[in-house]
Amino acid sequence: LAVQDGFNANGDGNKYRTVIANEKAEVGINLQKGTQAIHHLTIGWTPDSLEQRNGRGVRQGNKTQRVNIYHYDADGTFDTSKRSMVNKKADWIGQVMDIDGGGSVSVAGGLSKEQMEALIDTVGDSDAMKRLQETIAAKEAEARATTNREKQMINIDTILKQRS
């Protein structure tokens, strides 16, 4: 609380102008009175971790008009992929939570096995997600079979033309 009180002190009596925090500050600390920017040097595995972090400063009671949010990804690391996965999770969760969305959720883009497992973990209904995964796999298998049949027909046509 001492850090929170020092940052949020009224007037020029602020003890702290900058606070550097780890994931422990995602909850339980309010730094909203003068926050102008939030810099993310790391990213959590779930959209709610970013929402919690941003919520430390982007909240009711902030005296500034705008809080800028910055994200940093280190070269040669998993940061960019991880951020992409978290953003996909956030989009998917947003679709699920959208009451006006018509009751359906689109999962597109050919998710890898790892991404599908992460999605199953996020949703929590492994049976429903496994059925969805099986449906997607069946559709992909049917598409491959159709393509193979078309290739075979072309080959048969070529053989027949060569014999004539």
Side-chain angles (χ1 to χ4, degrees):
L1 283 176
V3 172
Q4 173 180 303
D5 293 342
F7 184 83
N8 287 331
N10 291 330
D12 293 329
N14 293 34
K15 187 173 182 181
Y16 307 112
R17 294 191 58 180
T18 302
V19 174
I20 299 173
N22 60 15
E23 64 191 25
K24 300 282 186 198
E26 284 182 12
V27 293
I29 188 169
N30 297 318
L31 303 172
Q32 77 270 21
K33 290 198 177 164
T35 299
Q36 297 175 7
I38 297 173
H39 297 263
H40 295 282
L41 302 178
T42 62
I43 184 170
W45 285 99
T46 60
D48 67 316
S49 67
L50 282 177
E51 193 172 315
Q52 283 291 334
R53 290 179 189 187
N54 292 339
R56 301 306 92 214
V58 181
R59 64 188 313 153
Q60 186 176 6
N62 193 334
K63 307 247 187 282
T64 60
Q65 292 281 57
R66 179 180 176 170
V67 176
N68 294 307
I69 308 292
Y70 300 95
H71 299 274
Y72 302 93
D73 294 335
D75 289 339
T77 67
F78 186 61
D79 289 351
T80 303
S81 298
K82 191 174 176 185
R83 185 173 315 286
S84 174
M85 184 176 68
V86 169
N87 289 338
K88 285 179 184 179
K89 284 181 185 179
D91 292 344
W92 191 86
I93 291 169
Q95 287 179 8
V96 169
M97 300 305 286
D98 182 12
I99 296 171
D100 299 327
S104 65
V105 176
S106 171
V107 178
L111 297 177
S112 70
K113 180 180 178 189
E114 291 81 15
Q115 290 170 326
M116 184 60 78
E117 288 171 357
L119 184 59
I120 289 169
D121 288 343
T122 301
V123 174
D125 186 352
S126 61
D127 292 336
M129 290 307 296
K130 285 179 183 172
R131 286 191 302 275
L132 174 63
Q133 194 172 13
E134 289 168 0
T135 301
I136 291 170
K139 287 180 181 178
E140 289 173 352
E142 178 58 33
R144 282 191 304 275
T146 299
T147 300
N148 288 339
R149 279 193 296 274
E150 289 170 356
K151 287 180 182 177
Q152 290 171 351
M153 291 305 296
I154 292 170
N155 289 340
I156 291 172
D157 287 344
T158 302
I159 291 169
L160 291 173
K161 287 179 184 174
Q162 289 174 347
R163 288 187 178 170
S164 330

